[in-house]
Amino acid sequence: MCGIVGYVGSKDAYPILIKGLHRLEYRGYDSAGIALINPAGKLNVYKSKGKVTELEHFVEDKDTSGTTGIAHTRWATHGVPAERNAHPHRSNDGALAMVHNGIIENYLEIKADLTAKGYTFSSETDTEVLVNLIAERRKTEPDLLHAFAAALREAHGAYAVCLMCRDEPGVIYAARMSAPLIFGLGTGEHFVASDIPAFLPYTRQVIFLEDGELVR
Ligand code: GLU
């Protein structure tokens, strides 16, 4: 089991996401990471092997500004515990970042198709394959919600995913299929997480997503 936390609102996302990861540490994990869109529109991704505190040390001198972000603690299923396999994973075009819990069973077929189209992969994960499939579908379906849905129709398995796009600050996407994912409604801010404790200090209005549902 891993942990997913997503935040969109008007506050600095970084402290909220890190606190959320700490509150999900009980689930067990081998690495951690975070993605944030800074006020200039740059998508910054930081990750490290080991504990969330190690990620915090790693980003001490980095730009952690931004009010939109996603974060993850990984329990490796595809590829060893290592910084390169830690989430978030980016699409080749650098526009998308995604965190994922679970497995994509047919990722090898999808990976072969994408490789034939010129995509390259820097990790062994099924997650990096899925985020690039979304990027590929976005070429013909510019509305990211529809491209996300199209990619998920092709990906088989059990998953919870949270996605963000450099071109869409102020927006996060999430979906689930046979893996936990919860949506938290705040005032002027929203949350996504694997479990309620991640956002309990901020809201008690919770929606339990059903299998096959997407959230923007
Ligand atoms: N299958 C993904 C990976 O190996 C996600 C693992 C998880 O649930 O943390 O990176």
Side-chain angles (χ1 to χ4, degrees), residues 2 72-78 85 87 100-102 125-127:
C2 76
H72 188 258
T73 47
R74 175 176 187 243
W75 184 286
T77 62
H78 292 62
N85 288 327
H87 303 205
H100 161 222
N101 170 211
T125 64
D126 46 349
T127 309

Side-chain angles (χ1 to χ4, degrees), residues 113-135:
D113 286 349
L114 292 173
T115 303
K117 289 189 167 79
Y119 284 80
T120 57
F121 298 91
S122 53
S123 79
E124 290 95 65
T125 64
D126 46 349
T127 309
E128 195 185 13
V129 172
L130 180 57
V131 73
N132 280 298
L133 180 62
I134 299 166

Side-chain angles (χ1 to χ4, degrees), residues 7-176:
Y7 175 81
V8 59
S10 55
K11 297 184 189 132
D12 269 341
Y14 175 73
I16 293 170
L17 293 170
I18 288 290
K19 269 186 218 136
L21 288 185
H22 278 301
R23 285 167 164 261
L24 297 179
E25 282 189 294
Y26 74 89
R27 297 166 70 83
Y29 64 101
D30 55 60
S31 53
I34 193 161
L36 297 150
I37 302 175
N38 81 3
K42 184 165 183 261
L43 178 57
N44 288 312
V45 177
Y46 308 116
K47 32 198 192 175
S48 69
K49 196 176 156 190
K51 294 285 167 197
V52 174
T53 48
E54 284 165 58
L55 176 68
E56 288 176 88
H57 290 313
F58 177 70
V59 302
E60 257 164 22
D61 58 347
K62 310 273 193 305
D63 173 12
T64 56
S65 62
T67 58
T68 307
I70 57 177
H72 188 258
T73 47
R74 175 176 187 243
W75 184 286
T77 62
H78 292 62
V80 295
E83 189 264 334
R84 71 176 183 286
N85 288 327
H87 303 205
H89 287 284
R90 282 192 216 238
S91 53
N92 278 194
D93 63 7
L96 305 179
M98 196 177 79
V99 295
H100 161 222
N101 170 211
I103 52 164
I104 305 300
E105 281 160 14
N106 57 337
Y107 84 108
L108 282 177
E109 293 106 275
I110 299 169
K111 190 173 188 174
D113 286 349
L114 292 173
T115 303
K117 289 189 167 79
Y119 284 80
T120 57
F121 298 91
S122 53
S123 79
E124 290 95 65
T125 64
D126 46 349
T127 309
E128 195 185 13
V129 172
L130 180 57
V131 73
N132 280 298
L133 180 62
I134 299 166
E136 177 61 20
R137 293 295 165 258
R138 192 165 168 248
K139 288 181 182 169
T140 48
E141 177 46 82
D143 183 334
L144 182 52
L145 185 69
H146 293 159
F148 186 32
L152 289 178
R153 277 193 292 272
E154 295 170 55
H156 307 141
Y159 53 78
V161 290
C162 193
L163 173 74
M164 61 194 283
C165 179
R166 188 186 54 200
D167 312 330
E168 298 183 33
V171 184
I172 55 174
Y173 297 81
R176 64 156 271 175

Side-chain angles (χ1 to χ4, degrees), residues 23-24 26 182 193-201 203-204 206 208:
R23 285 167 164 261
L24 297 179
Y26 74 89
I182 295 154
S194 307
D195 198 2
I196 297 173
F199 55 68
L200 208 49
T203 183
R204 285 172 185 240
V206 171
F208 292 86

